């Protein structure tokens, strides 16, 4: 199970990173989102993977490690804020530059792209 | 305690000019002089105690962890220098009062000058190596400000920069040296260091330490090969040159060598290096002083030469040599201070400092002529003046030292040569200015300066003569104190003019005669030298600075060419290298923990995740499909959290997923629907390789961690959640209680992101397509009936659910984050079903205050615990009973969670609702013109 989990995290990270290396803003934002999934899964697993663990303190049972969960919970919300900021920045860049290239160069899109 | 005041008074004095500048220059000058005068008086009041052989010390802890104490000492050496610094400083103040022209910002000048004075006093009184270094750097900085005082002149700026670079670099070397020294001894306390000569000399790091400390001292005291900055520092106003660059600052390096002499000087390495450097500097400076034609230039090089002389004496290091060095320090300060100030007077009254343009001033300024002649005679070593006495002692020491064995005759020879040259340039200085007939009239009609402007010169020259005539009476006491501070014991010496006809006297006489001869023939000498062509140190320095800047710019340009893709590539590449290096150090990848069983659900989930992720990449040029693939990943991630016992995370991920997808869809509406194919095959392969390699590193790391036993610190949270936080949901208790401060930070970031987006959307003009990527016109049915009616039903229910999730959060999965997201989703659904306009009319309030209010509520909750004398964000809770409802629990953590809730709702809606508004005439724009030009295309 652990190896499958690790491989999945790795593939998610690789896909996300590949997209962040693209030249247009939207795929980069998608890539960042994908990467943050991978990172969250990675961080989450730092406390070990607990199946059927108790979540609420009731005096018995094996508990899932709460600390990574708390960290990842805030990470998810912050990740959303980051994605939102990046995508709005991309929109703004397109509005000001006339194209959605990440390098922020001033050039006009060709006509068929605009449709 | 008064020791602290001696050091602090000048420092406080920095403020005085700023406070009194408006009251006029006379008042300001007097007020500025007050505190240094008081410090001088305090210093003198300690003389009796010092004469009894005491060393006064004072210390309080400052930063004990670094070994830095606010420790001061007052011994003979400090007194000697304090007299120089404060005494000459006051004279300079008086002189500057007349020197600066009326429209110059004298308050600023005084403040810099006093800052420098305070730093110098700090250096000579510091009883802690690090404190000494601190003041050392302060002198570099204040000297930079003073040299560059006439900042409109290019010379002044360049000279200041060069001085700062050289002395600043030397200061860094000194810091390294002092840290090494402190490490050898085990303390930065000056007393301990001075008593540990054996330990220091035996340490294998001694040569390195000595080299670094000497670099510091040589840069400051302008010794070869760092001498080049001093002549260029003469771009400063003359009071600064007189004070910093002859009397005090350049003596700081010499002071350092004298101060540390007992600790680090007892080696052959010290004697040979310091003596040779000093001798070479002396000859070099004297030679160029003879060749210069600028009055201040001559004095600058002669200062270099005399500093070399003192350095050489410290290198020889016998008790009598130390005495001679200390004696020459004050003698040089008196005659050179007087000479600089006279040069300033001449410059001030005639408008030029060029020897070629001056001449015959004897008639116009007879008193100045007399004063300057006496001072120059002292510099040349003419008998019956103080310069003669110390120069005689220098000659004696070069004869008596056993250094260099068979080559021992070299030192007296060089010393005599230095003497010859110094007679020649002193003679030239006086003769060319006052006695030689003038070739042309100077720019201004020369006359005597104001009476009080000349007073400092008169005083200093009087000292030269008095000490020269009655050395035993006037100088013995002070010299005894100072030498005792360096040598640790009293030295039996006798300062006298006449020692009988001996070798040093013959050397002096020879130097006088040969110097006069050399001056008579110096014109052909100068002609001869002129063929060699000179290199200007400043050009070399500026050239190397510019080369350095150009190279750095080229390097920066190569790394930072404005392409985000390149930055990402470099970033990921270096991350790959570092992570790989870390992985290689692992003995083996798999740990000891056995793997858990796989089941069908898990495999299916993993397959879905992989399918979604790869699908997102493969379809990334068709953005909408790629986005759909991404949402698959998000949903399965949420299920994964649920599978591994994290319901809080699953709920959060689910609601964030919904919000993110809506946001990205909305954004995609304004962006091109397809990504053009523009990456070359080469680049694609490179990116796949890089991303794939990093993915493998991530997978390996994750596997390595998962198969090892973990020791979590969570036991603490599990044990204390109920008794300490009053909640059974440990995740929520960590968020709102144990790590509440982190959460506060995160909701603040969230609110800031919301605000930033709000501002980014302001006045945004975007092209709004009226058809999708395939050219299909959008459906005319903008608000479908079913969605409209369902959303209306759902809203109250969803709000109820969010309240429920919020309230139970402390003990069951839920809490402020999740409840906030659920509320936000419910409201966004209404926006989508009914349109922005409809909703706007009914929900007519801005979301910014909600988000900020949320952060405020959370912060105030945290601050509230201060009212009860507890640390920030301490939570309290209690159990209450109400009829009908039964027992329930209230915790301040719930109030904090309310803040989190509000911040999340506010920020999320601020982002989405404002983005939604861009599609309508309600766009957040101050323009009344709703149709941007691009829409016409």
């Amino acid at each position: 199970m652990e190896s499958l989990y690790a491989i999945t995290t790795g593939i998610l990270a690789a896909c996300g990173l590949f997209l962040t290396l693209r030249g247009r803003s939207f795929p980069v934002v998608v890539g960042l989102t994908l990467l943050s999934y991978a990172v969250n899964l990675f961080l989450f697993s730092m406390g070990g993977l607990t199946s059927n663990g108790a979540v609420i303190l009731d005096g018995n049972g094996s508990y899932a490690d709460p600390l990574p969960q708390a960290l990842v919970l805030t990470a998810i919300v912050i990740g959303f804020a980051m994605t939102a900021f990046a995508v709005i920045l991309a929109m703004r860049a397109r509005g000001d530059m006339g194209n959605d290239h990440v390098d922020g160069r001033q050039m006009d899109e060709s006509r068929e792209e605009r449709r | 305690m008064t020791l602290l005041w001696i050091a602090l008074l000048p420092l406080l004095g920095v403020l005085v000019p700023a406070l009194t500048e408006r009251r006029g220059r006379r008042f300001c000058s007097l007020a500025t002089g007050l505190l240094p005068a008081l410090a001088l008086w305090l210093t003198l009041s300690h003389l009796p105690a010092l004469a009894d052989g005491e060393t006064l010390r004072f210390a309080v802890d400052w930063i004990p962890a670094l070994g830095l104490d606010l420790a001061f000492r007052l011994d003979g050496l400090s007194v000697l220098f304090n007299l120089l610094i404060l005494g000459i400083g006051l004279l300079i103040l008086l002189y500057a009062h007349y020197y600066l022209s009326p429209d110059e910002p004298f308050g600023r000048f005084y403040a810099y000058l006093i800052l420098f004075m305070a730093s110098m006093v700090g250096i000579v009184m510091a009883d802690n190596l690090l404190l000494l270094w601190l003041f050392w750097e302060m002198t570099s900085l204040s000297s930079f400000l003073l040299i560059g005082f006439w900042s409109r002149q290019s010379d002044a700026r360049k000279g200041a920069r060069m001085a700062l670079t050289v002395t600043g670099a030397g200061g860094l070397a000194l810091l390294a040296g002092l840290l090494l020294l402190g490490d050898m001894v085990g303390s930065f306390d000056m007393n301990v260091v001075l008593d540990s000569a054996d330990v220091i000399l035996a340490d294998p790091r001694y040569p390195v330490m000595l080299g670094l400390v000497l670099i510091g001292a040589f840069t400051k005291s302008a010794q070869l090969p760092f001498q080049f900055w001093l002549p260029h520092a003469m771009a400063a106003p003359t009071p600064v040159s007189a004070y910093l660059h002859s009397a005090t600052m350049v003596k700081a390096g010499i002071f350092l060598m004298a101060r540390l002499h007992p600790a680090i000087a007892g080696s052959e390495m010290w004697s040979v290096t310091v003596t040779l450097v000093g001798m070479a500097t002396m000859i070099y400076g004297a030679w160029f002083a003879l060749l210069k034609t600028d009055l201040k230039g001559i004095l600058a090089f002669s200062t270099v030469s005399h500093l070399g002389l003192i350095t050489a004496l410290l290198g020889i290091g016998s008790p009598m040599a130390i005495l001679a060095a200390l004696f020459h320090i004050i003698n040089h300060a008196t005659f050179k201070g007087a000479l600089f100030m006279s040069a300033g007077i001449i410059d001030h009254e005639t408008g030029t400092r060029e020897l070629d343009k001056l001449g015959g001033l004897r008639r116009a300024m007879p008193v100045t002529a007399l004063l300057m002649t006496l001072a120059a005679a002292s510099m040349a070593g003419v008998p019956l003046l103080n310069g003669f006495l110390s120069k005689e002692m220098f000659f004696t020491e070069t004869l008596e030292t056993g250094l260099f064995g068979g080559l021992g005759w070299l030192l007296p020879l060089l010393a005599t040569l230095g003497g010859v040259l110094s007679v020649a340039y002193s003679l030239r200085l006086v003769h060319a200015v006052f006695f030689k007939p003038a070739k042309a009239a100077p720019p201004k009609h020369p006359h005597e300066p104001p009476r009080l402007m000349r007073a400092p010169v008169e005083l200093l020259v009087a000292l030269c003569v008095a000490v020269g005539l009655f050395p035993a009476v006037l100088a013995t006491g002070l010299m005894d104190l100072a030498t005792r501070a360096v040598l640790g014991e009293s030295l039996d010496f006798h300062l006298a003019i006449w020692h009988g006809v001996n070798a040093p006297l013959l050397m002096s006489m020879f130097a006088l005669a040969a110097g006069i001869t050399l001056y008579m023939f110096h014109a052909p000498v100068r002609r001869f030298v002129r063929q060699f062509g000179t290199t200007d140190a400043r050009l070399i320095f500026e050239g190397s600075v510019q080369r350095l800047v150009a190279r750095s710019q080229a390097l920066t340009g190569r790394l930072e060419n404005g392409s985000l893709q390149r930055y990402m590539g470099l970033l990921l590449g270096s991350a790959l290298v570092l992570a790989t290096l870390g992985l290689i150090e692992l003995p083996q990848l798999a740990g000891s923990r056995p793997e858990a069983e796989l089941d069908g659900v898990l495999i299916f989930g993993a397959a879905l995740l992989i399918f979604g992720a790869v699908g997102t990449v493969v379809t990334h040029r068709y953005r909408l499909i790629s986005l759909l693939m991404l949402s698959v990943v998000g949903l399965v991630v949420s299920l994964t959290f649920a599978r591994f016992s994290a319901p809080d995370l699953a709920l959060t991920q689910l609601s964030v997923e919904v919000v993110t997808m809506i946001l990205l869809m909305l954004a995609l509406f304004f962006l091109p629907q397809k990504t053009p194919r523009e990456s070359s095959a080469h680049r694609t392969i490179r990116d796949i390789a890089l991303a794939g390699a990093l993915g493998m590193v991530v997978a390996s790391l994750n596997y390595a961690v998962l198969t090892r036993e973990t020791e979590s610190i969570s036991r603490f949270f599990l044990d204390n959640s109920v008794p300490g936080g009053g909640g059974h949901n440990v995740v929520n208790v960590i968020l709102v209680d144990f790590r509440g401060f982190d959460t506060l930070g995160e909701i603040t970031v969230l609110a800031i992101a919301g605000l930033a987006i709000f501002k980014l959307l302001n006045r945004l003009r975007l092209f709004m397509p009226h058809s999708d990527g395939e050219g299909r016109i959008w459906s005319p049915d903008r608000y479908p009936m079913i969605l409209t009616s369902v959303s209306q039903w759902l809203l109250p229910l969803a709000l109820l659910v969010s309240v429920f999730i919020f309230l139970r959060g402390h003990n069951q999965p839920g809490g402020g984050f999740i409840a906030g997201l659920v509320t936000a989703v419910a409201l966004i659904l209404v926006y989508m079903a009914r349109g922005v306009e409809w909703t706007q009319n009914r929900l007519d309030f801005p979301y910014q205050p909600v988000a900020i209010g949320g952060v405020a509520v959370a912060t105030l909750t945290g601050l509230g615990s201060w009212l009860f004398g507890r640390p920030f964000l301490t939570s309290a809770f209690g159990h209450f009973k109400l009829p009908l409802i039964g027992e329930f629990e209230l915790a301040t953590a719930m109030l904090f969670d309310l803040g989190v809730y509000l911040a999340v709702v506010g920020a999320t809606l601020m982002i989405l609702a404002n983005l939604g508004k861009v599609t309508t005439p309600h766009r957040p724009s101050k323009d009344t013109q709703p149709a941007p030009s691009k829409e016409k295309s």
Side-chain angles (χ1 to χ4, degrees), chain B residues 354-535:
Chain B
E354 281 297 315
L355 282 194
D356 297 341
K357 295 183 189 157
L358 293 166
L361 290 180
R362 173 173 45 110
R363 270 179 245 289
M365 349 177 47
V367 184
T368 311
L370 175 69
L371 293 173
M372 198 161 173
T373 310
L374 281 174
S378 174
M379 173 159 82
V382 173
L384 302 184
L385 291 163
N386 60 356
F388 168 74
L389 298 171
S390 41
K391 193 159 274 188
E392 196 85 329
M393 288 159 83
F394 170 59
F395 289 154
T396 317
E397 290 314 308
T398 54
L399 284 169
E400 287 180 0
T401 178
L403 274 178
F404 305 114
L407 281 176
W409 48 268
L410 194 63
L411 286 186
L413 189 73
L414 288 176
T416 318
L417 180 59
V420 171
L421 289 169
S422 90
V423 170
Y425 67 69
S426 306
L427 186 58
R428 172 157 175 257
L429 188 69
V430 173
H431 184 252
V433 174
F434 294 109
F435 300 98
K436 198 179 69 178
K439 283 179 195 158
K444 284 200 236 170
H445 180 69
H447 55 83
E448 283 286 346
R451 178 75 188 76
L452 277 174
M453 186 175 184
R454 217 174 49 207
V457 188
E458 287 166 1
L459 188 67
L460 288 177
V461 171
L463 272 177
C464 287
V465 178
V467 172
L469 289 176
F470 310 106
V473 185
L474 289 170
T476 305
L478 191 60
M479 284 297 107
D480 182 42
L481 276 180
T483 44
R484 209 162 56 196
V486 178
L487 301 171
E489 60 197 358
S490 262
L491 182 67
D492 185 30
F493 67 90
H494 182 64
L495 295 175
I497 306 170
W498 182 250
H499 291 281
V501 179
N502 51 12
L505 186 70
L506 292 178
M507 283 159 78
S508 282
M509 291 304 129
F510 174 76
L512 272 177
I516 293 166
T517 323
L518 178 59
Y519 176 62
M520 287 160 73
F521 294 102
H522 88 284
V525 171
R526 288 162 53 80
R527 260 201 300 284
F528 172 71
V529 171
R530 211 170 285 154
Q531 340 173 25
F532 290 104
T534 50
T535 46

Side-chain angles (χ1 to χ4, degrees), chain A residues 11-107:
Chain A
I11 290 178
L12 253 62
C15 292
L17 289 172
F18 177 76
L19 286 181
T20 56
L21 288 167
R22 298 302 89 211
R24 298 287 168 154
S25 55
F26 194 77
V28 170
V29 172
V30 170
L32 282 176
T33 314
L34 202 51
L35 183 63
S36 65
Y37 291 149
V39 170
N40 286 343
L41 283 175
F42 182 85
L43 289 179
F44 171 65
S45 69
M46 287 300 109
L49 297 173
T50 318
S51 302
N52 303 318
V55 203
I56 304 305
L57 287 176
D58 54 1
N60 53 0
S62 69
Y63 298 106
D65 193 337
L67 190 60
Q69 293 192 22
L71 294 179
V72 171
L73 201 155
T74 48
I76 292 173
V77 180
I78 291 286
F80 163 68
M82 193 261 307
T83 308
F85 187 76
V87 82
I88 304 288
L89 204 59
M91 285 171 60
R92 179 92 213 187
R94 185 176 186 237
D96 292 354
M97 301 284 181
N99 69 87
D100 68 338
H101 200 279
V102 291
D103 289 354
R105 287 181 300 227
Q106 201 98 30
M107 59 176 184

